[in-house]
Amino acid sequence: MALDGCGIVCKYILVLFNLIFAIVGFAFLGLGLWLRFSENTRGIFEIQSLNSSAFVMGVTVLITLGSVMLIVVAFGDYGACNEKRCSLVVFSVLLVILAVAEVLCGLLAYTQRNAVGNSIAEFYVSMYALYVKGNGDPAIGVTLTFIHNLLGCCGVTGFKLIELAQQTCPQAYISSSCPGVISNVFDSNASLVMSIFLGTGALLIIALICSITLSCKIRLSASTPQYIILTQSTSVPRPSEQELVSTAYSHLDQDPVIFTPLTVANIPIAQT
């Protein structure tokens, strides 16, 4: 089946989109699996009081989102490369679900930025308390050190000299408490987070339009009858009358026909 120019363009756009989507999906899945099974952060999942924390939920979302993205890529690539309408329909449905989820997450992250920031800060406080009560768990200690150096803060007080977990604080003098810094960082970057979610949703909508267009083009090309166009005709020479007569005589010479006289019988004719 042959596609027109619009169908071919949509086909290659979908192939490029699925390639980028596959890279992002592998990145999300790899990052989620690394955070889940790494020696530095694996201990967080073994603590019952942190099973419902923002960190655990975030890692779970990364693993789930990466897996779903790879499933979407599988349907999209198969449908676009092999021109299969059934796979493109499944691909389109999954794109609609992901686009709606992306837009809702972006809006919620922006409108509920204070609640999200406070949840992350509460997770930090819970992890910090477990580190102090647990006599310095190595896995939690590495995680706290990473957060302190990334955000430039030190514990719940901000003063290294009086901190109970001062070995996890940066070497430089810090006078900022991590819960307040975490809340402020997320609050100040909420618009950026929303833009990322909305931008991803816009890309999903573009891919959805291309998928629907390609599916329609495949259906039209399959239902359109195919015609054979003759670009050059070959004329067959017709024999002349002289050739026909000579051919007839030659057949007569080869196979003589014997004519026998016909006897006419007296057949009575009924009178009306």
Side-chain angles (χ1 to χ4, degrees):
M1 58 185 70
L3 296 174
D4 57 3
C6 182
I8 294 175
V9 170
C10 290
K11 179 178 180 179
Y12 285 110
I13 289 177
L14 286 180
V15 172
L16 179 61
F17 169 81
N18 286 317
L19 178 61
I20 299 174
F21 216 53
I23 295 174
V24 177
F26 275 116
F28 284 173
L29 182 60
L31 178 61
L33 292 176
W34 179 76
L35 292 174
R36 176 61 181 85
F37 298 103
S38 176
E39 295 182 357
N40 297 330
T41 57
R42 184 171 52 189
I44 298 175
F45 296 88
E46 298 175 356
I47 301 173
Q48 296 296 329
S49 58
L50 293 179
N51 285 338
S52 60
S53 63
F55 179 79
V56 175
M57 294 177 61
V59 173
T60 305
V61 168
L62 283 176
I63 296 175
T64 305
L65 183 59
S67 301
V68 172
M69 290 175 69
L70 293 180
I71 294 174
V72 172
V73 168
F75 280 102
D77 273 337
Y78 180 76
C81 295
N82 297 290
E83 299 181 4
K84 301 294 184 180
R85 294 186 63 236
C86 182
S87 296
L88 289 176
V89 170
V90 177
F91 176 70
S92 301
V93 172
L94 293 176
L95 284 182
V96 171
I97 296 174
L98 286 178
V100 173
E102 289 282 344
V103 173
L104 290 178
C105 288
L107 294 177
L108 288 175
Y110 182 76
T111 56
Q112 303 294 328
R113 55 185 180 272
N114 293 328
V116 175
N118 292 332
S119 298
I120 299 175
E122 290 175 2
F123 162 71
Y124 170 82
V125 173
S126 300
M127 189 168 52
Y128 180 86
L130 288 173
Y131 178 78
V132 174
K133 293 179 180 178
N135 296 324
D137 185 88
I140 301 179
V142 173
T143 306
L144 291 176
T145 303
F146 174 77
I147 295 175
H148 292 165
N149 286 277
L150 178 65
L151 300 178
C153 58
C154 181
V156 295
T157 62
F159 296 97
K160 184 177 180 180
L161 296 177
I162 61 175
E163 269 296 320
L164 298 176
Q166 55 180 285
Q167 62 272 18
T168 62
C169 293
Q171 298 296 327
Y173 177 75
I174 301 295
S175 61
S176 299
S177 62
C178 288
V181 172
I182 292 172
S183 299
N184 293 332
V185 167
F186 190 86
D187 183 67
S188 59
N189 294 286
S191 58
L192 177 61
V193 174
M194 183 185 67
S195 300
I196 294 174
F197 278 105
L198 294 181
T200 306
L203 291 177
L204 293 175
I205 293 174
I206 294 174
L208 175 63
I209 295 173
C210 291
S211 177
I212 296 175
T213 304
L214 180 59
S215 180
C216 294
K217 295 296 181 180
I218 293 173
R219 179 177 58 83
L220 291 176
S221 62
S223 60
T224 303
Q226 301 295 328
Y227 298 97
I228 300 176
I229 301 176
L230 298 177
T231 58
Q232 183 177 1
S233 61
T234 303
S235 61
V236 180
R238 299 179 60 183
S240 61
E241 294 181 358
Q242 184 178 359
E243 292 176 350
L244 290 174
V245 172
S246 60
T247 304
Y249 276 112
S250 62
H251 284 292
L252 289 175
D253 293 338
Q254 295 176 0
D255 300 322
V257 180
I258 301 175
F259 294 93
T260 57
L262 297 175
T263 58
V264 179
N266 293 325
I267 301 174
I269 301 173
Q271 296 179 358
T272 58

